[in-house]
Amino acid sequence: MTTEALGAAVEELLRPVIGTALSGGAGGAAALEPLVREVLAALAEGAARRGGPVAAASPADLAGGVADTFGSARGTEALGRLTELLAHGSADPADPACAAHLHCPPLAVAVAADLAVSALNPSQDSWDQAPAATVLETLLLEEMAGLVGYDPAEAAGVLTSGGTESNLMGLMLARDRVLGAATGRQIELTGVPRAGAGGSLGSAAGARPRILASAAAHFSVQRAAALLGLGEDAVIPVAVDSQLRMKTGALTAALERCVERGQLPVAIVATAGTTDTGAIDPLRECAELAARYGAWLHVDAAYGGGALLSDRLAPLLDGIELADSVSLDWHKLGWQPAAAGIFLVRRSETYASLARRAVYLNPADDEEAGYPSLLGLSLRTTRRADAFKIAVTLRTLGREGLGRLVDACHELAVAGARAVAARPRLELHGEAGAGEPVLTAFLFRYVPGASASGGAAALTDADAVRADEVNAALRRRLLREGGAVVGRTELPGEGPGRVRLKLTLLNPHTTVREVERLLDAVVAAGTAEEVA
């Protein structure tokens, strides 16, 4: 078969197959345009049909509807029908009554920028797959390093899938650096030595590695310890105060106990913005203790890093510039579509154990000739150009514009907490006068009938059990009825009475009155559950 005949055969093979147009090249935009219009129309139709923060349906009913549409949508109608289904069946973080999680409504400009990335599909694992995007990510990371307080010329970093991946990377480098120095081994090559195995540095070489993190730290710290071969038991939870901040005295005592027991403090994980209350650990004190005990300091600022955008709130993160590594998530308090995680280290030489060379991606002679590679900075190979949407957003709004959004959400949370305190059937978490939100989240609960007038101190064990049941049930009622998406968590400790509801306010366009209506809906749902 001639080349011309083969080409004609391929063309004929694809002719009856719909949806084979590509999004790249000079003709890609024209192919995308009608499809994007169809998606936008379906998004609007699905949102209108949903009519609120979440579809009014039980999980089983929603699953049935999804299965029916998935099974029947075919051909040219598939895009529109499935998009409408997704919009109808999504929890919409742009709705004022959708306030459960660190689940932000993305800025339209960021979504538009992300569409360009999806259409062009650059992959960050080699320069020849992403020439411009490689440079943009490098420039963005230099800017982010400066925002944290690092010297951009000495720092290094990478875009990640979020805080879980970033925390894993920070603790991996901590393991390799601190445990490697103690054992005289290259841990990434030889693996984690078993406790008591001995080594070139005597007893320290066989010491059990330990990671110290607050009792309110993110669960990904334990997951990272497991993945790194240290075991979840290597993570020592440090006591927190009533606002869920790590106690400096408790951290000091835990470090002293490690030394007394012949254990090796590999890392201290300080949280800058816990998922429940936005609490920020004492970062400067944590840095001083890490330096004193030879531990790596990793700051999980996946949530609280957004405060760096605000002149008013940035001082809350005093000391973050002393950390060895930092996690940031701009898909939380940065209004980016997921994923938009960032991992940074203060000194680029500490990145050494992650360095990798693959001859088909980043050969040494290419780099010597001026073709840079980001491969050795990431745990992933194929990786989207997630830096692009952040870069576009920063150039569009600037730090000042994003800072105003942060301030608006913080002020909304403060007003929301005060509205809770003004409602007799609701009880704000926190000591008197200390319940004001640190960032944009706060905890509270509905107090059932007879116990409401006396507050928490008046609750018997039976009352506390009942309060837990009612709060858990009223949240599900709101979901089932499509009225609101409210968070649920539990305070550290043991016994009943620890269930709390949570509002995480990330929509800067939400009004105080809309938050008040949401709280009224919580009260109404709690009352209905008591009757039920």
Side-chain angles (χ1 to χ4, degrees):
M1 182 179 290
T2 66
T3 301
E4 292 78 6
L6 183 60
V10 171
E11 185 176 345
E12 184 61 29
L13 181 66
L14 293 179
R15 192 186 309 281
V17 183
I18 63 170
T20 60
L22 303 179
S23 63
L32 271 175
E33 185 178 2
L35 300 174
V36 170
R37 285 200 301 268
E38 184 177 0
V39 164
L40 294 176
L43 287 174
E45 193 168 341
R49 190 158 65 91
R50 185 183 64 242
V54 68
S58 69
D61 289 341
L62 182 66
V66 171
D68 288 344
T69 303
F70 179 69
S72 62
R74 291 286 189 276
T76 56
E77 68 172 13
L79 177 62
R81 287 189 61 193
L82 290 174
T83 300
E84 182 187 343
L85 168 74
L86 181 66
H88 171 260
S90 288
D92 182 9
D95 191 291
C98 186
H101 302 286
L102 288 164
H103 177 201
C104 74
L107 293 164
V109 67
V111 173
D114 212 31
L115 172 61
V117 170
S118 293
L120 295 167
N121 205 29
S123 181
Q124 301 294 86
D125 48 316
S126 67
W127 186 93
D128 58 1
Q129 296 178 86
T134 296
V135 181
L136 272 172
E137 178 166 325
T138 302
L139 293 172
L140 176 71
L141 288 167
E142 289 176 358
E143 197 165 315
M144 292 297 100
L147 183 68
V148 167
Y150 289 167
D151 180 348
E154 295 184 0
V158 74
L159 270 288
T160 72
S161 59
T164 295
E165 181 184 348
S166 296
N167 290 345
L168 173 63
M169 293 181 71
L171 292 175
M172 176 182 174
L173 296 180
R175 179 201 66 178
D176 295 346
R177 299 287 293 188
V178 178
L179 190 56
T183 60
R185 300 182 181 189
Q186 198 169 347
I187 301 300
E188 68 272 19
L189 295 182
T190 64
V192 178
R194 61 183 178 85
S200 59
L201 298 181
S203 60
R208 174 79 188 272
R210 293 296 193 186
I211 297 168
L212 296 95
S214 89
H218 196 260
F219 68 86
S220 61
V221 175
Q222 279 82 3
R223 177 179 286 176
L227 290 170
L228 294 171
L230 304 176
E232 292 194 22
D233 288 345
V235 180
I236 298 176
V238 179
V240 295
D241 63 17
S242 62
Q243 296 304 302
L244 306 188
R245 297 168 298 203
M246 183 157 55
K247 294 181 178 179
T248 305
L251 176 59
T252 304
L255 286 163
E256 290 174 350
R257 284 194 298 271
C258 282
V259 174
E260 291 169 359
R261 296 169 180 171
Q263 298 167 343
L264 180 66
V266 167
I268 295 171
V269 178
T271 304
T274 58
T275 54
D276 284 345
T277 65
I280 297 172
D281 291 337
L283 305 182
R284 189 166 292 275
E285 291 87 342
C286 288
E288 292 170 356
L289 287 168
R292 185 188 308 170
Y293 286 87
W296 178 284
L297 176 62
H298 175 70
V299 173
D300 178 2
Y303 175 21
L308 295 170
L309 299 167
S310 161
D311 289 339
R312 178 153 50 89
L313 298 180
L316 293 171
L317 272 65
D318 174 58
I320 193 172
E321 71 279 3
L322 302 174
D324 294 291
S325 58
V326 172
S327 300
L328 304 170
D329 275 5
W330 295 128
H331 54 250
K332 292 184 171 69
L333 204 54
W335 297 282
Q336 300 296 299
I342 290 176
F343 173 71
L344 295 167
V345 295
R346 181 161 47 92
R347 293 172 292 131
S348 58
E349 63 268 24
T350 62
Y351 231 113
S353 63
L354 266 173
R356 289 294 180 272
R357 188 168 301 286
V359 293
Y360 72 102
L361 292 174
N362 62 340
D365 55 324
D366 269 7
E367 292 194 348
E368 291 166 3
Y371 293 83
S373 170
L374 305 180
L375 180 68
L377 298 172
S378 179
L379 294 177
R380 293 177 286 162
T381 305
T382 301
R383 189 164 58 83
R384 293 183 83 248
D386 287 319
F388 182 72
K389 60 198 173 194
I390 306 175
V392 169
T393 301
L394 279 169
R395 288 299 171 269
T396 302
L397 279 75
R399 176 180 175 271
E400 180 184 4
L402 284 167
R404 288 178 181 175
L405 301 184
V406 173
D407 289 342
C409 290
H410 176 248
E411 290 169 4
L412 186 67
V414 170
R418 291 173 181 171
V420 167
R423 283 161 170 73
R425 300 301 292 274
L426 300 181
E427 175 188 274
L428 186 66
H429 169 70
E431 299 168 350
E436 186 167 294
V438 179
L439 296 172
T440 67
F442 58 88
L443 301 182
F444 66 103
R445 67 175 170 179
Y446 174 88
V447 182
S451 306
S453 59
L459 265 63
T460 65
D461 284 349
D463 290 334
V465 170
R466 180 62 178 150
D468 286 351
E469 292 172 345
V470 169
N471 278 274
L474 77 82
R475 174 181 165 273
R476 290 190 292 270
R477 174 183 286 270
L478 289 168
L479 285 172
R480 188 170 62 250
E481 295 176 351
V485 185
V486 176
R488 176 205 189 277
T489 189
E490 294 183 17
L491 300 177
E494 300 292 335
R498 294 182 296 114
V499 171
R500 292 294 183 276
L501 302 176
K502 175 174 65 171
L503 293 190
T504 307
L505 300 171
L506 295 179
N507 183 344
H509 298 295
T510 297
T511 66
V512 174
R513 183 65 194 114
E514 286 169 331
V515 175
E516 290 174 341
R517 284 200 290 268
L518 173 55
L519 294 172
D520 290 340
V522 169
V523 172
T527 303
E529 282 301 322
E530 285 194 80
V531 173

